[in-house]
Amino acid sequence: MTKGNAFVIGATGQIGRAAVRALAEDGWDVTAASRGGGRDERWPQEVRATALDREDDAALAAALGEGCDVLVDMVAMEERHAAQLTGLADRIGSAVVISSGAVYEDDKGRSFDTQAEPDGFPRCPVPIPETQPTVAPGDATYGTRKVAVERRLLAAADRLPTTVLRAGAVHGPYCRTPRELHFVKRVLDGRPVRVLAHGGRSRFHPVHVSNLGELIRLAAARPGARVLNAGDPDVPTVAEISTAIDAVMGVRSELVLVDGSPPVGTVGETPWSGVHPVVYDMSAAERELGYRAVTGYADSLPATVEWLAEMLRRQDWREAFPKLSQRYAHDGDGPFDYAQEDAWLASR
């Protein structure tokens, strides 16, 4: 006897793979929907894979058929996606939708949207509770679009109870923009030094895909209208992340810690760098869902590093991670501008 029918949108993405597996192993009858209709080799055979373009309203309605007990949406990126779901509320028992910690702003209106401005990096409480103010909903940025999704869904709580999960810095295999690449590639390239701005003390709350899978599993079994942070049990500094990746790869790098912002260009900047810590309060998830993380950052690293190293053995990083490469299309080698780094090190 199953726990019910689960329909997962975005099933072959990084989070979707873990969510399908967690739900199937917990006894749900899972339909895994993705644009290509593919499968993950770790899924139980009972999982049904189906091709679906979620931009096509009619296709989504047809794929749902008579409905499901829980719908899990990894790729609700704008308000009309939320409207799709609420429009099908009579066929969906409850929903779990992935949002982002990028929605938060501080008491001066600073958010990730303003971080490039002078004194624009948000200074939120440590840790950040779900009651922290968010940016206004809109179409302008990733954060504003996610808030629009959240509010549309929560406004329909009486028809479609939805758990919104505000994810931290997602990590693990199959990421299209992996932060860990910053250090893994440097090891593979034989770089002996790690320059870290802000004294290497920056913290940006990570969440492993298996921990997101666990939160999704728990929320599916406990339907409700709620917003919860999604994070790992530990929040390492960027210096600790560098050292942990070195340990997995069997090397030991020299850390050059720079007080304050990057001294020139992007030297010392990392995907976790920030003037102030970004740490999410996980007590609500623990209290409401009984959440206990299934892994920590360091424990999960070997699989991530192995996957990244294999990807880089096959092809150049730009080809392996085109979405990440696009961010630096007009910025030379982007995060791997070793010439700039070496020039600064030589000038010290």
Side-chain angles (χ1 to χ4, degrees), residues 205-228:
H205 205 143
V207 59
H208 190 263
V209 288
S210 62
N211 287 331
L212 273 168
E214 176 68 358
L215 281 161
I216 290 166
R217 180 188 75 83
L218 292 169
R222 295 174 173 85
R226 57 171 82 92
V227 176
L228 297 173

Side-chain angles (χ1 to χ4, degrees), residues 114-154:
T114 65
Q115 62 183 316
E117 302 172 8
D119 192 32
F121 198 91
R123 187 166 191 163
C124 292
V126 178
I128 303 170
E130 289 85 351
T131 54
Q132 180 71 16
T134 69
V135 297
D139 297 325
T141 68
Y142 175 74
T144 62
R145 289 191 290 271
K146 281 294 192 182
V147 171
V149 169
E150 291 186 5
R151 295 195 181 178
R152 183 66 173 257
L153 291 169
L154 295 172

Side-chain angles (χ1 to χ4, degrees), residues 9 52 72 112 114 143 151 177 181 207 219 256 322 335:
I9 304 175
L52 171 68
V72 185
F112 286 166
T114 65
R151 295 195 181 178
T177 56
L181 180 70
V207 59
V256 176

Side-chain angles (χ1 to χ4, degrees), residues 182-183 195-197 202 238 266 268-274:
H182 185 87
F183 292 128
V195 183
L196 304 178
S202 297
V238 68
T266 59
E269 186 175 297
T270 78
W272 301 270
S273 294

Side-chain angles (χ1 to χ4, degrees), residues 6-313:
F7 191 93
V8 179
I9 304 175
T12 55
Q14 183 189 24
I15 303 171
R17 291 170 186 262
V20 169
R21 185 180 180 186
L23 289 167
E25 291 180 349
D26 198 35
W28 289 85
D29 187 4
V30 182
T31 298
S34 64
R35 187 179 293 273
R39 298 182 61 88
D40 186 293
E41 62 183 13
R42 297 168 300 173
W43 293 346
Q45 289 300 313
E46 295 76 19
V47 171
R48 291 185 302 278
T50 187
L52 171 68
D53 179 0
R54 79 88 36 81
E55 303 299 331
D56 186 333
D57 294 354
L60 176 57
L64 269 179
E66 295 183 359
C68 61
D69 296 296
V70 63
L71 182 143
V72 185
D73 194 345
M74 313 299 167
V75 288
M77 298 297 179
E78 51 194 69
E79 187 175 4
R80 68 186 190 85
H81 293 152
Q84 275 183 327
L85 302 187
T86 58
L88 296 166
D90 59 334
R91 296 195 231 173
I92 304 170
S94 68
V96 183
V97 175
I98 300 298
S99 185
S100 168
V103 302
Y104 291 117
E105 68 177 14
D106 68 11
D107 58 3
K108 294 186 178 180
R110 295 173 297 196
S111 68
F112 286 166
D113 294 337
T114 65
Q115 62 183 316
E117 302 172 8
D119 192 32
F121 198 91
R123 187 166 191 163
C124 292
V126 178
I128 303 170
E130 289 85 351
T131 54
Q132 180 71 16
T134 69
V135 297
D139 297 325
T141 68
Y142 175 74
T144 62
R145 289 191 290 271
K146 281 294 192 182
V147 171
V149 169
E150 291 186 5
R151 295 195 181 178
R152 183 66 173 257
L153 291 169
L154 295 172
D158 58 331
R159 296 182 291 121
L160 180 60
T162 300
T163 297
V164 172
L165 296 175
R166 290 176 176 166
V170 183
H171 63 105
Y174 303 105
C175 183
R176 293 192 294 170
T177 56
R179 291 173 175 82
E180 286 70 22
L181 180 70
H182 185 87
F183 292 128
V184 171
K185 179 168 165 54
R186 280 171 163 75
V187 173
L188 294 177
D189 290 343
R191 303 288 296 177
V193 175
R194 306 287 176 265
V195 183
L196 304 178
H198 310 295
R201 295 183 295 273
S202 297
R203 291 197 295 161
F204 183 10
H205 205 143
V207 59
H208 190 263
V209 288
S210 62
N211 287 331
L212 273 168
E214 176 68 358
L215 281 161
I216 290 166
R217 180 188 75 83
L218 292 169
R222 295 174 173 85
R226 57 171 82 92
V227 176
L228 297 173
N229 289 331
D232 286 348
D234 50 338
V235 189
T237 66
V238 68
E240 290 168 340
I241 290 172
S242 174
T243 300
I245 290 175
D246 274 4
V248 171
M249 302 186 76
V251 300
R252 185 172 182 176
S253 307
E254 177 188 354
L255 298 183
V256 176
L257 306 180
V258 179
D259 287 333
S261 300
V264 59
T266 59
V267 172
E269 186 175 297
T270 78
W272 301 270
S273 294
V275 180
H276 307 297
V278 177
V279 179
Y280 303 118
D281 187 344
M282 292 304 300
S283 61
E286 294 167 1
R287 182 175 62 253
E288 296 191 26
L289 299 182
Y291 169 63
R292 296 293 181 271
V294 298
T295 190
Y297 189 83
D299 289 341
S300 70
L301 264 182
T304 302
V305 169
E306 180 181 0
W307 176 76
L308 281 170
E310 179 59 28
M311 293 291 286
L312 294 178
R313 277 192 287 268

